[in-house]
Amino acid sequence: MEANQITFDSLPKAMASLFEEVKQIKSLILDTSTKEAGDQLFTIQETGEFLHVKRQTLYSYVSKGIIPHHKRAGRLYFSKSELIDWIKTGNKRPFDVEEQAKKIISKRKRKGGSHE
């Protein structure tokens, strides 16, 4: 009998080993594909340098929901791949008609200009 041959009794151990190896291979593939795609997280400073805009402009974009971002532990992060997609789509954010209408009505009510 060959040393590498799997028997019925050694099958569970062999399967566990196989699953672990597949898990490691999958992890390596995902890590490599993420690095090749250039996906990395930028800080606000790095994002400003990448987009050639000031920090205040970025904060404005974030508060208006214009730019894709992530917030962790009170800090802003920006995905390079999401920023590239955002630039390619023309920096457009999704337009919600109902939300925009509510904002306009709210502004008019504050100014005292109601059309009822």
Side-chain angles (χ1 to χ4, degrees), residues 94-108:
F95 184 77
D96 185 349
V97 175
E98 190 173 328
E99 181 182 328
Q100 293 301 319
K102 287 178 183 178
K103 285 181 182 179
I104 292 169
I105 292 168
S106 174
K107 285 180 183 179
R108 285 187 178 170

Side-chain angles (χ1 to χ4, degrees), residues 42-61:
F42 288 153
T43 62
I44 191 103
Q45 171 107 18
E46 293 167 331
T47 304
E49 292 169 5
F50 180 70
L51 297 177
H52 304 287
V53 297
K54 294 183 180 181
R55 288 171 66 135
Q56 288 177 304
T57 303
L58 285 174
Y59 284 124
S60 174
Y61 287 174

